[in-house]
Amino acid sequence: MGPRIGPAGEGPQMPDKDSKATMDTEDTYGSKASSEPQNLRPRVFHSIKFFVLCHSLLQLAQLMISGYLKSSISTVEKRFGLSSQTSGLLAAFNEVGNTALIVFVSYFGSRVHRPRMIGCGAVLVALAGLLMTLPHFISEPYRYDHSSPEDMSQDSEASLCLPMTSAPAPTPSNGSCSSYTEAQHLSVVGIMFIAQTLLGVGGVPIQPFGISYIDDFAHHSNSPLYLGILFAVTMMGPGMAYGLGSLMLRLYVDIDRMPEGGINLTSKDPRWVGAWWLGFLISAGMVALAASPYFFFPREMPKETHELRCRRKVLADAASPVSKGENSPSEQNPGESLKKQDGLVQIAPNLSVIKFIKVFPRVLLRTLRHPIFLLVVLSQVCMSCMVAGMATFLPKFLERQFSITASYANLLIGGLTIPSAIVGIVVGGVLVKRLHLGPMRCGALCLLGSLLCLLFNLPLFFIGCSTHQIAGIIHQPSTQPGLELFPGCAEPCSCPSDDFNPVCDPSTRVEYITPCHAGCTSQVAQEGLDKSQVLYTNCSCVSGRGPVLAGSCDSACSHLVLPFILLVSLGAALASLTHTPSFMLILRGVKKEDKTLAVGIQFMLLRVLAWMPSPVIHGSAIDTTCVHWALSCGRRAVCRYYDNDLLRNRFIGLQFFFKTGSLVCFALVLAILRQQSKEAGHKSTTSSPGLEQQRLMSGPKKQPEDSSV
């Protein structure tokens, strides 16, 4: 390139517009021969390959912090006394800020310094992650045994059966409440809602601006490869979020302020609360590190002028037949379609804000009048409702249904379900590419994937565990009677109504809420090989007054969790198979000038109709299956026990409902495509005889004339 020259000599290498904003980066670009350290940094930040690397890591970290709450949803419920409906609303608030600003990001997309906007959004995401950890630090240490006074060690004799004369009268559940306690609870929940909203706001510019920036300055044949790498790395984010949740929830929530005597809990205890906040701290740090390079990228960089050698070799060796007739569309469509996540960016640059707001509803209505577009988006809404509900509450469902730990549930989802969904997306894209599927075959593939996904959903209704007998709450007629043998046995005891320290009678598999409710008056600690086992003896409500074990009764069908999660993972793969062909149906079902808007409207409708309401719907359905609520200040807090059969039927039933809706929409899409194909064939057959006759009649006449000439 020659020796280092000033900014004036760099002009031809940079775009003409916005030269003032890029003046500081232009003066050092192009000096390849320079070995000065200050010139190395600008050369690195003028590389689109380095931008792809940075953006892949940033989107990976962003999806980790966005999906981490779903991996610890049941733990947050127990820690702060939230119902599933409230926790579902908390998870949905991530989409509120995102949806509110996505249209305006589309408008300002070509008017701002995109890398810096990405960096600012990522910094906001990191700050929101730190804000999510604030409730842990401003709250009192977690007390899993509320029956013991503040100055006594937890799990002491306070939960034993004590005579009414020697024990203080039990106070009502709202007796210890104060305005300060209630205000602290509201402030903690409010902070988490604000943090989730900011998490969505910060994520708004990251994906659209990054995709458009790559597509603008990468070589046109390299752009699909770069975007493919970007999404391949990004898709690992949710799986890593569940993996991080699996690791963090093995640690006790107050690991930074453990009591002097330690704790008497294991991760299998239903009162266990893991270190949910630590995952937000780690992922926020990762986002902050990934955000730092974006403040050094230029507003515009020279467009890549050469094709990657590896790509040329692959195309020459393996894709030469495709490159002759179909290479340009197949290469152009991914770049175009992914860039179209920028929403309205192509129509926005020449409009003012007022005109932009006025023109948007008209174009929205025009786009929604396309029957193929509308039906495909509705099918994607149904599928996204299923995915959003499953991603948010599947860990909690597995915990309750099969009596496994939160850590193990996250490990199963992050290790099996998420990778299966990624494989389904990749296989769907490969089938569309290799088989050159048109709209009709794309619709058939979507219908087949939805049908198989629905069929694999049916056995899930019958794989699960019924709730074991809980004295005073759930009675199974088929089991041996427990509390009924000794009616009123716990009346002499002063059992706190809000205490929760479950014990299990191993002989009858009957569970009691506390040792006090079992009528136990003493406890014994037996040292085992690896840990001490706490036994409660002299229990007036237990047959033979025999000892009961601390902790909930083990489930008799925990081994069924593996067949269940395998079927769920297979269904996720089949549902993900429809992702790419349905996306192609949208691109080919609207006019060319409306494709950009169609994709932007698609993502907006998915957020508004699926990702925002679905967690609340699933959480409300889960709450209706609760049979015993913990009370806090006179209000319902977290659910202690669920009717497992009802929980399974309603949770899987919701999944079945949304999958059925997706199947019906894809069936209507295929029917419309067939009808359009028949009409097109009928028009061609009615018009082609006349054309052929004219050609046959005019052909012989013209040919002699041409030959004579």
Side-chain angles (χ1 to χ4, degrees):
M1 292 280 290
R4 182 173 183 267
I5 55 177
E10 304 279 338
Q13 298 179 13
M14 299 292 292
D16 293 335
K17 59 182 180 179
D18 302 322
S19 57
K20 183 177 181 180
T22 57
M23 193 71 71
D24 56 337
T25 59
E26 289 176 355
D27 57 343
T28 53
Y29 179 77
S31 53
K32 289 186 177 180
S34 177
S35 59
E36 297 180 13
Q38 61 267 26
N39 291 336
L40 294 178
R41 187 184 70 177
R43 287 180 56 193
V44 170
F45 289 101
H46 278 83
S47 171
I48 193 64
K49 300 181 185 67
F50 185 63
F51 184 88
V52 172
L53 173 64
C54 293
H55 206 62
S56 300
L57 296 177
L58 176 60
Q59 288 198 177
L60 176 68
Q62 184 216 351
L63 282 187
M64 273 188 63
I65 197 171
S66 299
Y68 180 76
L69 178 64
K70 298 176 177 61
S71 69
S72 55
I73 199 79
S74 62
T75 302
V76 173
E77 288 179 9
K78 283 191 286 186
R79 178 63 182 92
F80 299 106
L82 305 180
S83 65
S84 294
Q85 184 183 39
T86 305
S87 63
L89 184 64
L90 178 63
F93 254 68
N94 189 9
E95 304 294 335
V96 172
N98 197 300
T99 306
L101 296 179
I102 189 66
V103 174
F104 293 98
V105 165
S106 301
Y107 172 76
F108 290 107
S110 59
R111 293 171 161 81
V112 297
H113 194 300
R114 285 176 288 182
R116 289 181 186 171
M117 286 296 296
I118 294 172
C120 292
V123 169
L124 184 59
V125 168
L127 293 177
L130 294 178
L131 189 61
M132 277 295 295
T133 67
L134 185 60
H136 167 75
F137 296 102
I138 65 175
S139 300
E140 297 293 329
Y142 172 59
R143 297 192 62 83
Y144 53 85
D145 184 7
H146 295 280
S147 62
S148 58
E150 294 285 339
D151 56 347
M152 292 180 61
S153 62
Q154 301 187 63
D155 253 357
S156 66
E157 287 81 3
S159 37
L160 295 176
C161 175
L162 301 176
M164 295 288 289
T165 56
S166 61
T171 57
S173 59
N174 59 351
S176 60
C177 290
S178 63
S179 58
Y180 172 76
T181 304
E182 192 67 15
Q184 186 183 35
H185 173 77
L186 292 176
S187 63
V188 164
V189 175
I191 286 173
M192 290 192 291
F193 273 93
I194 293 173
Q196 281 294 104
T197 305
L198 294 178
L199 204 61
V201 171
V204 168
I206 293 178
Q207 189 177 26
F209 285 173
I211 291 172
S212 62
Y213 193 83
I214 293 172
D215 196 58
D216 283 348
F217 303 115
H219 191 274
H220 67 87
S221 60
N222 295 338
S223 179
L225 176 62
Y226 292 152
L227 295 173
I229 294 172
L230 173 66
F231 281 99
V233 175
T234 300
M235 283 190 296
M236 295 188 294
M240 293 182 65
Y242 284 104
L244 182 64
S246 176
L247 292 175
M248 295 301 105
L249 296 183
R250 294 179 184 178
L251 306 175
Y252 185 62
V253 60
D254 289 323
I255 191 174
D256 57 329
R257 46 185 178 182
M258 291 286 285
E260 293 182 2
I263 58 171
N264 298 321
L265 287 184
T266 64
S267 59
K268 293 183 179 180
D269 195 294
R271 297 169 296 168
W272 174 269
V273 172
W276 61 273
W277 55 275
L278 199 54
F280 280 109
L281 209 59
I282 293 174
S283 52
M286 294 177 60
V287 173
L289 288 176
S292 55
Y294 285 87
F295 296 97
F296 302 99
F297 283 106
R299 178 168 184 166
E300 293 182 349
M301 66 172 63
K303 189 172 180 66
E304 201 175 27
T305 57
H306 62 280
E307 189 177 4
L308 292 179
R309 294 180 181 178
C310 61
R311 178 176 174 82
R312 276 204 301 266
K313 184 176 180 181
V314 170
L315 289 176
D317 295 342
S320 56
V322 180
S323 62
K324 293 179 181 178
E326 207 174 351
N327 192 30
S328 56
S330 63
E331 288 180 357
Q332 194 173 1
N333 281 339
E336 286 182 3
S337 61
L338 292 171
K339 181 182 175 181
K340 283 158 190 161
Q341 294 188 25
D342 222 358
L344 314 175
V345 72
Q346 292 186 3
I347 70 165
N350 298 324
L351 298 178
S352 64
V353 179
I354 303 300
K355 292 182 179 179
F356 177 78
I357 295 175
K358 287 182 179 179
V359 76
F360 178 73
R362 294 203 304 268
V363 183
L364 174 63
L365 293 176
R366 186 180 69 190
T367 306
L368 290 178
R369 281 199 293 264
H370 293 282
I372 300 296
F373 172 82
L374 185 60
L375 286 172
V376 172
V377 168
L378 287 178
S379 67
Q380 289 183 340
V381 165
C382 292
M383 201 66 75
S384 297
C385 283
M386 181 268 295
V387 172
M390 187 74 79
T392 305
F393 289 109
L394 182 58
K396 178 177 180 176
F397 177 85
L398 295 178
E399 292 175 49
R400 297 291 184 169
Q401 192 68 213
F402 301 101
S403 299
I404 61 176
T405 64
S407 175
Y408 186 47
N410 284 314
L411 182 63
L412 291 175
I413 297 172
L416 291 176
T417 307
I418 301 297
S420 299
I422 295 174
V423 169
I425 294 176
V426 173
V427 170
V430 169
L431 290 177
V432 172
K433 174 69 175 177
R434 293 294 182 184
L435 302 180
H436 311 298
L437 300 182
M440 183 78 73
R441 291 186 178 181
C442 282
L445 181 60
C446 291
L447 183 64
L448 179 62
S450 300
L451 178 61
L452 293 177
C453 178
L454 188 66
L455 293 178
F456 280 105
N457 189 87
L458 292 176
L460 300 180
F461 284 102
F462 310 102
I463 302 178
C465 310
S466 299
T467 307
H468 50 268
Q469 184 174 353
I470 302 169
I473 298 176
I474 296 178
H475 172 60
Q476 301 291 350
S478 60
T479 60
Q480 299 181 15
L483 198 61
E484 292 78 7
L485 285 176
F486 310 98
C489 59
E491 288 183 2
C493 306
S494 56
C495 301
S497 59
D498 57 349
D499 190 16
F500 183 64
N501 182 16
V503 293
C504 178
D505 180 7
S507 60
T508 59
R509 291 186 55 80
V510 176
E511 185 170 323
Y512 300 85
I513 300 177
T514 65
C516 182
H517 288 83
C520 303
T521 58
S522 60
Q523 75 175 38
V524 178
Q526 291 184 350
E527 295 295 333
L529 295 176
D530 54 348
K531 60 181 179 180
S532 61
Q533 175 68 57
V534 178
L535 302 176
Y536 295 91
T537 58
N538 195 23
C539 304
S540 59
C541 297
V542 179
S543 178
R545 305 179 72 87
V548 294
L549 304 177
S552 294
C553 296
D554 293 332
S555 175
C557 59
S558 296
H559 60 281
L560 294 178
V561 66
L562 287 179
F564 184 92
I565 201 68
L566 287 175
L567 283 175
V568 169
S569 302
L570 189 56
L574 292 170
S576 302
L577 192 69
T578 66
H579 180 269
T580 301
S582 63
F583 193 74
M584 298 307 297
L585 283 174
I586 288 178
L587 293 179
R588 297 173 184 177
V590 296
K591 297 179 181 179
K592 184 177 180 180
E593 61 271 17
D594 290 341
K595 286 184 179 181
T596 301
L597 280 173
V599 177
I601 292 169
Q602 173 205 12
F603 282 97
M604 186 181 68
L605 292 177
L606 289 180
R607 287 187 175 96
V608 173
L609 300 180
W611 291 99
M612 289 171 60
S614 179
V616 182
I617 294 172
H618 281 79
S620 301
I622 291 173
D623 283 342
T624 60
T625 65
C626 183
V627 295
H628 179 65
W629 289 93
L631 298 179
S632 175
C633 298
R635 62 172 179 82
R636 291 193 316 182
V638 66
C639 181
R640 299 293 191 193
Y641 294 105
Y642 292 93
D643 184 340
N644 281 354
D645 292 329
L646 194 59
L647 172 64
R648 182 174 63 255
N649 290 333
R650 291 190 177 174
F651 185 76
I652 303 300
L654 269 177
Q655 301 288 304
F656 187 84
F657 172 77
F658 288 124
K659 291 176 182 178
T660 304
S662 179
L663 179 67
V664 170
C665 290
F666 280 131
L668 292 176
V669 167
L670 192 60
I672 292 176
L673 288 174
R674 285 184 175 178
Q675 183 66 26
Q676 291 178 353
S677 178
K678 288 181 181 179
E679 291 178 357
H682 181 69
K683 289 180 180 179
S684 62
T685 53
T686 54
S687 60
S688 59
L691 293 175
E692 290 180 358
Q693 288 180 3
Q694 292 179 4
R695 291 174 182 172
L696 290 173
M697 293 175 63
S698 61
K701 292 181 180 179
K702 289 182 179 179
Q703 286 177 358
E705 292 176 1
D706 294 338
S707 60
S708 62
V709 173

